[in-house]
Amino acid sequence: AYTAKIGPSILSSDLSQLGGECERMMECGADYLHLDVMDGHFVPNITFGHPMVECLRRCIGPDPFFDMHMMVSRPEQWVKPMAAAGANQYTFHLEATTNPGNLIKEIRESGMKVGLAIKPGTTVEELAPWAGQIDMALVMTVEPGFGGQKFMEDMMPKVSWLRGQFPSLDIEVDGGVGPDSIHRCAEAGANMIVSGSAVVSSDDPRSVIALLKNVVIE
Ligand code: DX5
Ligand code: ZN
């Protein structure tokens, strides 16, 4: 049986109530929280940084796993502040750094897990050399920057290729994933599913999370 972990992205939630929204997602069965950090430079949008993460950690307690999706131009700059704020995993973009090897080492030394993300225009062959050193690969299924965009099904070959090459690697998909696209992601081999608007804007997030978690692959 296929069981994926579900990490709601709180980008589309009421940002003035972020602590409560995170608690609500965990109560509805989320396995982890996917927190989207945008700097207005790597992507054309701004969200929040480590001071907000520190407050969320204090609000929600030590347990929920924070997967930081760092859509920032200088990912090196925020490793230590994010670790100190209580982040569990630091997912940076391959496109944002010239020295992924060094960054991977710094993230590990700070005590966090390592995620490596690629935008739709980046090939999976570019990620492959680092796959043995990371905990999770993030295959973006929209152009990063905004919630509520359409799922790019043509990214699925990247996921299946990675799954074939690296059977035990965590593979996350992010962007436009919901009840209509989850099957594609599951079939390709993704085991960490980010879902923003489909979960957060639903009247019944608990049912949507349960549905995403228990996909049956024929
Ligand atoms: C996009 C973000 C995603 C996104 C997910 O730049 O990285 O996490 O907000 O939201 P949906 O599921 O609405 O695309
Ligand atoms: Zn994200």
Side-chain angles (χ1 to χ4, degrees):
Y2 169 89
T3 313
K5 288 190 167 148
I6 309 300
S9 156
I10 39 66
L11 191 58
S12 315
S13 62
D14 180 350
L15 294 177
S16 74
Q17 313 291 329
L18 208 45
E21 286 291 272
C22 287
E23 279 171 348
R24 185 169 75 102
M25 289 300 121
M26 294 308 295
E27 280 160 14
C28 286
D31 295 294
Y32 67 102
L33 295 168
H34 177 88
L35 303 179
D36 289 303
V37 175
M38 305 185 186
D39 67 350
H41 189 259
F42 182 73
V43 287
N45 198 4
I46 295 182
T47 55
F48 50 81
H50 58 91
M52 173 76 93
V53 176
E54 190 180 333
C55 294
L56 284 177
R57 177 56 81 200
R58 204 175 305 136
C59 167
I60 205 163
D63 288 338
F65 186 90
F66 286 179
D67 169 30
M68 304 307 310
H69 181 189
M70 302 300 296
M71 289 164 275
V72 301
S73 288
R74 296 183 51 210
E76 295 81 8
Q77 195 174 348
W78 310 113
V79 173
K80 286 194 176 77
M82 280 298 179
N88 300 99
Q89 175 161 276
Y90 195 91
T91 301
F92 68 96
H93 269 267
L94 185 57
E95 302 87 2
T97 181
T98 49
N99 195 342
N102 197 46
L103 188 47
I104 290 168
K105 190 166 153 277
E106 281 175 21
I107 297 168
R108 281 217 188 288
E109 282 169 3
S110 77
M112 296 182 287
K113 294 178 96 176
V114 182
L116 180 53
I118 51 171
K119 297 205 283 185
T122 304
T123 67
V124 78
E125 284 80 10
E126 293 170 78
L127 183 148
W130 310 105
Q133 299 176 45
I134 61 177
D135 298 291
M136 187 194 84
L138 165 51
V139 175
M140 289 302 298
T141 44
V142 297
E143 282 300 336
F146 302 91
Q149 302 182 78
K150 189 177 178 294
F151 176 74
M152 297 168 75
E153 186 167 355
D154 54 343
M155 295 299 125
M156 291 304 97
K158 292 186 186 179
V159 175
S160 9
W161 186 86
L162 277 174
R163 180 49 73 222
Q165 298 289 312
F166 307 100
S168 61
L169 181 66
D170 281 331
I171 304 176
E172 184 178 65
V173 284
D174 179 16
V177 182
D180 297 337
S181 43
I182 183 68
H183 279 88
R184 301 267 88 75
C185 303
E187 278 162 5
N191 66 319
M192 294 183 72
I193 308 294
V194 176
S195 186
S197 41
V199 170
V200 172
S201 324
S202 160
D203 294 335
D204 187 2
R206 183 184 299 276
S207 305
V208 179
I209 290 174
L211 195 154
L212 296 175
K213 234 185 247 200
N214 298 304
V215 200
V216 178
I217 314 176
E218 272 115 60

